[in-house]
Amino acid sequence: MRDALTAFLSELAAERRASPHTLAAYRRDVTRALDLAAGPGRAVPPPAWTRELLERALHELYRSGHAPSSAARALAAWRSFSRFCARRGVIAADPARALPFPKRGRRLP
């Protein structure tokens, strides 16, 4: 999965011309989910990228005090990475496709 992440970020940089900040944020968000799946110091096999993992990672974001906007960005990164992996055959199906985006509150003017 780590090799797929490197290829995903390279594609974002080359084809979509993503900014360095976007690339850093996507790397951080996907790596956080992969680390959660692997546990301390272990590599993640491809089948570990599941909807259950992503739901658990989203719950961890909220538990650690992240704002809904940060959770939405992480979910966007996971969805993009999942689509990339499914297209490339790294995983059989896209587990992030049906995950709902977090509700974001409105700011007062």
Side-chain angles (χ1 to χ4, degrees):
M1 284 307 268
R2 305 285 175 171
D3 293 338
L5 176 58
T6 302
F8 169 67
L9 294 171
S10 295
E11 182 178 294
L12 278 179
E15 293 181 15
R16 296 186 195 170
R17 297 181 186 257
S19 78
H21 297 290
T22 299
L23 295 174
Y26 274 38
R27 177 185 302 278
R28 186 174 49 251
D29 293 332
V30 173
T31 299
R32 184 181 295 131
L34 290 173
D35 289 346
L36 183 63
R42 296 186 320 201
V44 181
W49 190 258
T50 62
R51 180 182 172 125
E52 292 77 24
L53 165 69
L54 298 177
E55 288 173 344
R56 199 171 82 203
L58 195 57
H59 178 72
E60 281 295 315
L61 284 175
Y62 284 124
R63 192 183 64 73
S64 62
H66 285 79
S69 58
S70 297
R73 189 208 57 235
L75 185 54
W78 299 337
R79 282 182 168 186
S80 293
F81 181 64
S82 291
R83 276 193 307 270
F84 174 84
C85 288
R87 265 194 335 262
R88 297 287 175 102
V90 176
I91 55 178
D94 179 0
R97 184 181 54 191
L99 287 176
F101 271 95
K103 301 286 186 206
R104 293 174 37 177
R106 295 184 180 208
R107 291 186 179 180
L108 294 174

